Amino acid sequence: MNLGRLNFDRPLIHKIIIMSPRTKEQIEEIRNTRINEIFDASLELFAENGYHRTSISMIAKKAGIAKGLIYNYFKSKEDLLTLLVIDGFGDFKELMISKYKKIDSKEKFRQLIDDSFNLVMQNKHHWRLYYSLLLKTEIMNLISNKLYEMFMPFMKSITEYFIIKGSRNPKTEAILLFSAMDGLCIGYFSAPKIFPFDEATKILTEKFE
Amino acid sequence: MNLGRLNFDRPLIHKIIIMSPRTKEQIEEIRNTRINEIFDASLELFAENGYHRTSISMIAKKAGIAKGLIYNYFKSKEDLLTLLVIDGFGDFKELMISKYKKIDSKEKFRQLIDDSFNLVMQNKHHWRLYYSLLLKTEIMNLISNKLYEMFMPFMKSITEYFIIKGSRNPKTEAILLFSAMDGLCIGYFSAPKIFPFDEATKILTEKFE
Amino acid sequence: MNLGRLNFDRPLIHKIIIMSPRTKEQIEEIRNTRINEIFDASLELFAENGYHRTSISMIAKKAGIAKGLIYNYFKSKEDLLTLLVIDGFGDFKELMISKYKKIDSKEKFRQLIDDSFNLVMQNKHHWRLYYSLLLKTEIMNLISNKLYEMFMPFMKSITEYFIIKGSRNPKTEAILLFSAMDGLCIGYFSAPKIFPFDEATKILTEKFE
Amino acid sequence: MNLGRLNFDRPLIHKIIIMSPRTKEQIEEIRNTRINEIFDASLELFAENGYHRTSISMIAKKAGIAKGLIYNYFKSKEDLLTLLVIDGFGDFKELMISKYKKIDSKEKFRQLIDDSFNLVMQNKHHWRLYYSLLLKTEIMNLISNKLYEMFMPFMKSITEYFIIKGSRNPKTEAILLFSAMDGLCIGYFSAPKIFPFDEATKILTEKFE
DNA sequence: GATGAATGAGCGTTCATTCAT
DNA sequence: AATGAATGAACGCTCATTCAT
């Protein structure tokens, strides 16, 4: 036996099977999926029961995850709420920017009102939640900046339309229209089965166009 | 007899008190006073902090009574809430019955709208609370009968006025007006310092009168 | 039948058996009893397991009460801890004030040291707890004022004794003595079965007297 | 052959990576580096916030590694703690063995005390941590053997010195000195800004030399 | 070796409600 | 009628630890 032929310092060449950690992209994808699952579960529960009567446990159960995981993605229940609300305005914001920067005809005005109400009806959970928070000062303070950013384009376009129309007080008339639309949505959400939503929106449009 | 053996410090198991006689009326009066004290305290605290952030302890402290006593008058916190809300509509109901059974002129219509908004402004706490509950299904279910009783006279008078005016869809137009008024009030409560409430109500009246 | 003879307005005389609410004294007594029960349970558990490893549940269970009740008496777990620690210094404070305002002989100095160590041995739980907190900055900040008030008389008397003895640096020597005593106690608590506490305190006294 | 039918985007179940060969030494080196990074991060955080208020996440973040990796090197958080404490005594142990096996003069005794305190001041984080654990029975049980091994040479040398000096109870006097030193260090760590550490250590030395 | 998403037990705390007095 | 001590379920949240990758 000649041990001298063996070189113990020579690096051993292995083939090592290594479970690589997930790539950043994979993690990003997981996170997005999870966040959306949490959003979906929260939105439904908040809209159904209200914020205070919905517990983190309920959300976790509905989303099919462990309670603690929610805190990997959101700092607190309140943080989840505000991000959820803001997230829900995405479509509205986009619509305003892409289509209604300028309203120069009665026809376009009608379309704006119509599209707005349609968006609400397509995202009922979100808008119901939003309206249920309108009088919660502490929540509104947290998202008022975002709300301003969201609704200002709408208000601006409407106001300009009323100026063109020759309104005596275009700004206030825009606020009134806005409030009336809110009132209709709230009325609808308060009693969806019996509220004559479509007819009422039609009359509203006629009164302001 | 050895009085020394009697322990006068021994606690009395029951204290039997011979009450100064109270008539049923006196008792009723005490109850009403207490209930109003509890209502006042609750209303203020609910308006300030919201329902969930107001505890029974806080209400008791503010009303100057013991926690347990509240349960002599109300079955539960929710029961207190619903009775409180209903109680606050008293003025509105009375006004509708006494003054606006029949609206037969533009002038009277204007007065109705004006008086309604004034009532809201005079009982801000109550109306703020009411609006904050509008989308809480479980609360609304409990008081919907009372609400119907309260608002139906108003709706009826308005609808009749719109019929007289020749509206194509008087009932829906009444609902729209009603919703718009709610929207204005909610808008006002949401941002009382900057909301152009008086101007907006004026324009609203003009649009519907 | 002559109903006219009945006076329905005449107040009805009842004997009403009323369960009177507890008197203030009774309540005060209950509260003191409860507080002491909580103190006893906490002291033992904190001394045994440390502050962080002792949960409010454990304290409640040991005290034989419901978890929530602890919060009727203490604002928080930290509040309980600080009040508990301060409470435990009562004897020491009293001893210093009543007996050791002035130390004018070697004999009295010996007695002071002896009495101090005896107090520690008589309230082992308290002193063990205190020493276990010495390096917890956030706790010490909360009670440092009380500690100052507690130990200053001791330090003052000792310092004066060292001045009389002609020490070059009486204040620092007092601090050294104080620290050495702490060191002995900590050493004892760290290994009570094998630490030669009595012999060590004797030598300590000889070195400083 | 139809390559088009192969889905190259299909995620690989395992990624088999052929590692560049690593010698055992290299692996060992990596491990030591990691362990020291974890030690450094832990020591600082424990000293800053205490053991219970420092989470594994915080340590991982500070050490710049992933949470899970810590469990490759330590069985548990408590395991990390004990190994960290023991590791920190290295200098002290070495000093005792190399320089103070025999103390045969007042001069050398003074040097020992001085060097000991200097070591503490040079490794404040470590010693503060050690003292904060002195009364945690469950931790001390885990490291008592190591502590014995660490401090016994010190105790032995001191005891022998006191024997030479003709002390009546050299062993207990050594324990007393040891405890007093601990007391001084704890006093210093408890209030580093105002504690007269240097003066106190000088007086201590004089009393025992 | 390295990652960080995921778990779930357990924490301190709150509070509507009960009940002996 | 009135008191407030007492309860205990439930809450939001933390974190040591695991494990698929």
Side-chain angles (χ1 to χ4, degrees):
Chain A
M1 219 160 78
N2 187 347
L3 286 174
R5 299 193 64 171
L6 294 176
N7 177 2
F8 287 103
D9 283 328
R10 167 174 65 89
L12 298 167
I13 308 230
H14 317 258
K15 288 188 189 179
I16 302 179
I17 298 182
I18 293 216
M19 293 301 206
S20 316
R22 294 182 187 91
T23 63
K24 285 212 168 144
E25 288 75 21
Q26 284 174 311
I27 286 177
E28 191 66 17
E29 202 187 309
I30 291 176
R31 290 186 71 86
N32 285 335
T33 309
R34 218 46 90 234
I35 286 176
N36 280 323
E37 284 168 3
I38 296 171
F39 270 171
D40 289 349
S42 316
L43 186 51
E44 201 164 324
L45 289 169
F46 284 159
E48 217 167 274
N49 316 311
Y51 174 69
H52 281 105
R53 295 167 67 105
T54 301
S55 71
I56 292 288
S57 294
M58 291 161 71
I59 296 171
K61 187 177 277 177
K62 181 147 206 151
I65 57 172
K67 223 174 10 164
L69 188 56
I70 291 177
Y71 293 88
N72 268 21
Y73 297 99
F74 303 96
K75 284 202 296 282
S76 66
K77 193 186 175 190
E78 206 172 66
D79 184 47
L80 163 59
L81 175 64
T82 55
L83 290 175
L84 174 64
V85 173
I86 290 167
D87 177 75
F89 283 119
D91 291 347
F92 185 80
K93 190 181 176 183
E94 206 179 325
L95 181 73
M96 288 306 128
I97 288 172
S98 66
K99 199 166 161 194
Y100 294 111
K101 270 211 155 163
K102 192 148 201 79
I103 306 170
D104 43 19
S105 70
K106 195 179 282 192
E107 191 47 44
K108 196 147 190 195
F109 175 81
R110 279 184 204 151
Q111 270 177 31
L112 167 56
I113 305 299
D114 212 43
D115 279 359
S116 298
F117 281 127
N118 282 337
L119 269 188
V120 173
M121 289 300 116
Q122 282 158 29
N123 294 287
K124 283 179 187 168
H125 281 334
H126 166 259
W127 287 91
R128 193 183 209 291
L129 174 60
Y130 164 64
Y131 284 125
S132 75
L133 298 172
L134 253 183
L135 295 183
K136 314 241 170 190
T137 322
E138 78 278 7
I139 304 291
M140 280 300 122
N141 285 340
L142 294 175
I143 61 172
S144 58
N145 286 339
K146 281 281 169 186
L147 289 180
Y148 183 87
E149 190 188 306
M150 216 68 74
F151 292 128
M152 204 28 76
F154 178 88
M155 291 300 289
K156 216 170 162 186
S157 302
I158 296 277
T159 306
E160 272 165 24
Y161 176 70
F162 286 153
I163 289 174
I164 292 168
K165 255 190 54 188
S167 164
R168 249 182 309 137
N169 195 340
K171 215 168 168 180
T172 301
E173 196 167 343
I175 289 174
L176 172 62
L177 170 59
F178 196 72
S179 300
M181 292 173 75
D182 283 346
L184 279 183
C185 293
I186 291 169
Y188 167 78
F189 286 125
S190 181
K193 286 178 190 159
I194 60 171
F195 197 90
F197 190 69
D198 290 335
E199 296 175 49
T201 59
K202 225 177 77 187
I203 301 178
L204 179 71
T205 312
E206 287 167 9
K207 291 222 183 263
F208 282 85
E209 74 189 1
Chain B
M1 219 161 76
N2 184 349
L3 285 175
R5 301 195 61 176
L6 294 177
N7 176 5
F8 287 103
D9 285 340
R10 156 176 74 89
L12 298 168
I13 301 298
H14 289 121
K15 292 193 184 173
I16 299 181
I17 297 182
I18 309 214
M19 297 296 287
S20 61
R22 276 187 198 155
T23 62
K24 280 194 181 172
E25 287 77 16
Q26 284 176 313
I27 287 177
E28 194 64 22
E29 203 186 306
I30 289 177
R31 289 187 67 87
N32 285 335
T33 309
R34 280 287 168 278
I35 286 177
N36 278 322
E37 285 167 0
I38 296 170
F39 272 170
D40 289 349
S42 313
L43 190 50
E44 201 163 324
L45 288 169
F46 287 161
E48 214 167 282
N49 317 309
Y51 174 71
H52 280 101
R53 297 162 69 109
T54 301
S55 70
I56 293 288
S57 294
M58 289 161 73
I59 295 171
K61 184 178 276 179
K62 181 146 205 153
I65 60 173
K67 232 181 338 177
L69 190 54
I70 290 176
Y71 289 85
N72 274 19
Y73 297 101
F74 303 97
K75 284 203 299 285
S76 66
K77 193 187 174 190
E78 203 172 71
D79 184 48
L80 162 58
L81 174 65
T82 55
L83 291 174
L84 172 65
V85 174
I86 290 166
D87 176 75
F89 284 120
D91 291 347
F92 185 80
K93 188 180 178 184
E94 206 179 323
L95 181 72
M96 288 307 128
I97 289 171
S98 66
K99 200 166 162 195
Y100 294 110
K101 270 215 157 159
K102 194 148 201 79
I103 306 170
D104 43 19
S105 68
K106 196 181 281 194
E107 190 49 44
K108 197 149 189 191
F109 175 82
R110 280 185 203 150
Q111 270 177 31
L112 167 57
I113 305 300
D114 213 43
D115 279 0
S116 299
F117 281 128
N118 282 336
L119 270 188
V120 173
M121 290 297 117
Q122 281 157 31
N123 294 287
K124 283 179 187 168
H125 280 343
H126 165 258
W127 287 91
R128 193 185 208 291
L129 176 61
Y130 163 64
Y131 284 125
S132 75
L133 299 173
L134 253 182
L135 294 183
K136 315 244 167 182
T137 322
E138 77 282 2
I139 303 290
M140 282 300 121
N141 285 341
L142 294 173
I143 64 172
S144 59
N145 287 339
K146 281 282 169 186
L147 287 181
Y148 184 86
E149 189 188 306
M150 215 68 73
F151 292 128
M152 206 27 79
F154 176 88
M155 291 300 290
K156 217 170 159 186
S157 304
I158 295 277
T159 306
E160 273 165 23
Y161 174 70
F162 286 152
I163 290 173
I164 294 168
K165 256 190 54 186
S167 163
R168 253 181 307 140
N169 194 339
K171 213 167 168 181
T172 302
E173 195 167 345
I175 290 173
L176 172 62
L177 171 59
F178 196 72
S179 299
M181 290 173 76
D182 284 345
L184 280 184
C185 293
I186 290 169
Y188 167 77
F189 285 125
S190 182
K193 284 178 191 160
I194 59 170
F195 198 89
F197 191 69
D198 290 335
E199 295 174 51
T201 58
K202 225 177 77 187
I203 301 178
L204 178 72
T205 312
E206 286 166 9
K207 291 218 181 267
F208 282 86
E209 75 191 359
Chain C
M1 219 161 73
N2 185 350
L3 286 174
R5 299 193 62 179
L6 294 175
N7 175 2
F8 287 103
D9 283 331
R10 169 173 63 89
L12 298 167
I13 309 230
H14 317 257
K15 289 188 186 175
I16 303 179
I17 297 182
I18 292 217
M19 292 300 206
S20 316
R22 294 184 188 89
T23 62
K24 286 213 167 145
E25 289 76 20
Q26 285 175 309
I27 286 175
E28 189 67 14
E29 203 187 309
I30 290 174
R31 289 186 71 85
N32 285 334
T33 309
R34 218 47 87 233
I35 285 177
N36 280 323
E37 285 169 1
I38 296 171
F39 269 172
D40 289 348
S42 316
L43 187 51
E44 201 164 324
L45 290 167
F46 285 160
E48 216 166 276
N49 316 311
Y51 174 70
H52 281 105
R53 295 168 68 105
T54 301
S55 72
I56 291 288
S57 295
M58 289 161 71
I59 296 171
K61 186 176 277 179
K62 180 146 208 153
I65 57 174
K67 222 171 16 162
L69 187 56
I70 291 176
Y71 291 87
N72 269 22
Y73 297 99
F74 302 96
K75 286 202 296 284
S76 66
K77 193 188 174 189
E78 206 172 65
D79 184 47
L80 164 58
L81 174 65
T82 56
L83 291 175
L84 174 65
V85 173
I86 290 166
D87 177 75
F89 284 119
D91 292 347
F92 185 80
K93 189 180 177 183
E94 207 179 323
L95 181 73
M96 289 306 128
I97 288 171
S98 65
K99 200 167 161 195
Y100 294 110
K101 270 215 156 158
K102 195 150 200 74
I103 305 169
D104 42 21
S105 68
K106 197 180 279 192
E107 190 49 43
K108 197 150 189 193
F109 175 82
R110 279 184 204 151
Q111 269 177 32
L112 168 56
I113 304 300
D114 213 44
D115 279 1
S116 299
F117 280 127
N118 281 336
L119 270 188
V120 172
M121 287 301 115
Q122 281 159 31
N123 293 287
K124 282 179 187 168
H125 280 337
H126 166 259
W127 286 92
R128 193 185 209 291
L129 174 60
Y130 164 63
Y131 284 124
S132 76
L133 298 172
L134 254 182
L135 295 183
K136 314 242 170 187
T137 322
E138 76 279 8
I139 304 291
M140 282 299 121
N141 285 341
L142 294 174
I143 61 171
S144 58
N145 287 339
K146 281 280 169 188
L147 288 181
Y148 183 87
E149 193 188 302
M150 215 67 75
F151 291 128
M152 208 22 82
F154 177 87
M155 292 299 290
K156 217 171 160 185
S157 302
I158 296 276
T159 306
E160 273 164 23
Y161 174 70
F162 286 152
I163 290 174
I164 294 168
K165 254 190 57 188
S167 165
R168 251 181 308 139
N169 196 338
K171 216 167 167 182
T172 302
E173 196 167 343
I175 290 173
L176 172 61
L177 171 59
F178 196 73
S179 299
M181 291 173 76
D182 283 347
L184 280 184
C185 294
I186 291 170
Y188 167 78
F189 285 125
S190 181
K193 286 179 191 158
I194 60 171
F195 198 90
F197 190 68
D198 291 334
E199 295 173 51
T201 57
K202 223 176 80 187
I203 302 178
L204 179 72
T205 312
E206 286 165 10
K207 290 217 183 270
F208 281 85
E209 75 190 359
Chain D
M1 218 161 78
N2 185 348
L3 284 175
R5 304 194 58 176
L6 295 175
N7 177 4
F8 288 103
D9 286 339
R10 158 175 72 87
L12 299 169
I13 301 300
H14 291 119
K15 292 192 182 170
I16 299 178
I17 296 183
I18 308 210
M19 296 295 286
S20 64
R22 274 188 200 156
T23 62
K24 277 193 179 170
E25 288 77 18
Q26 283 176 315
I27 288 179
E28 194 64 21
E29 202 187 306
I30 289 178
R31 288 187 69 86
N32 285 334
T33 309
R34 281 283 170 276
I35 286 178
N36 279 322
E37 284 168 1
I38 296 171
F39 273 170
D40 289 348
S42 310
L43 190 51
E44 202 164 324
L45 288 168
F46 287 162
E48 214 168 282
N49 317 308
Y51 175 71
H52 281 101
R53 298 162 70 110
T54 300
S55 70
I56 291 288
S57 295
M58 290 161 74
I59 296 171
K61 185 179 276 178
K62 181 144 205 154
I65 58 173
K67 233 182 336 179
L69 189 54
I70 290 178
Y71 290 85
N72 274 19
Y73 297 102
F74 302 97
K75 283 204 299 286
S76 67
K77 193 186 174 190
E78 204 172 69
D79 184 47
L80 162 59
L81 174 64
T82 55
L83 290 175
L84 173 64
V85 174
I86 291 167
D87 176 75
F89 285 119
D91 292 347
F92 186 79
K93 189 179 174 183
E94 205 179 325
L95 182 71
M96 287 308 128
I97 288 171
S98 66
K99 199 167 161 193
Y100 294 110
K101 269 210 156 164
K102 193 148 203 79
I103 307 171
D104 42 20
S105 68
K106 195 180 281 192
E107 190 48 44
K108 197 148 191 194
F109 175 82
R110 278 186 204 148
Q111 269 177 32
L112 167 57
I113 305 300
D114 212 44
D115 278 359
S116 299
F117 281 128
N118 281 337
L119 269 188
V120 173
M121 288 300 116
Q122 281 159 31
N123 292 288
K124 283 179 186 167
H125 281 341
H126 166 259
W127 286 92
R128 192 185 208 293
L129 177 61
Y130 163 64
Y131 284 124
S132 76
L133 297 173
L134 252 183
L135 296 182
K136 314 247 170 183
T137 321
E138 78 281 4
I139 303 290
M140 282 300 123
N141 285 340
L142 293 174
I143 63 171
S144 58
N145 287 338
K146 280 281 170 186
L147 288 181
Y148 183 85
E149 189 189 306
M150 216 67 74
F151 291 129
M152 204 27 79
F154 177 87
M155 292 299 290
K156 215 169 161 186
S157 302
I158 296 275
T159 306
E160 273 164 22
Y161 175 70
F162 285 152
I163 289 173
I164 293 168
K165 254 190 59 188
S167 164
R168 249 180 310 139
N169 196 338
K171 213 166 169 182
T172 303
E173 196 167 344
I175 290 174
L176 172 61
L177 170 60
F178 196 72
S179 300
M181 289 173 76
D182 283 346
L184 280 184
C185 292
I186 291 170
Y188 168 77
F189 285 126
S190 181
K193 283 179 192 160
I194 60 171
F195 197 89
F197 190 69
D198 291 333
E199 295 173 51
T201 57
K202 223 176 80 187
I203 301 178
L204 178 71
T205 312
E206 287 165 11
K207 289 218 185 267
F208 282 83
E209 72 191 0

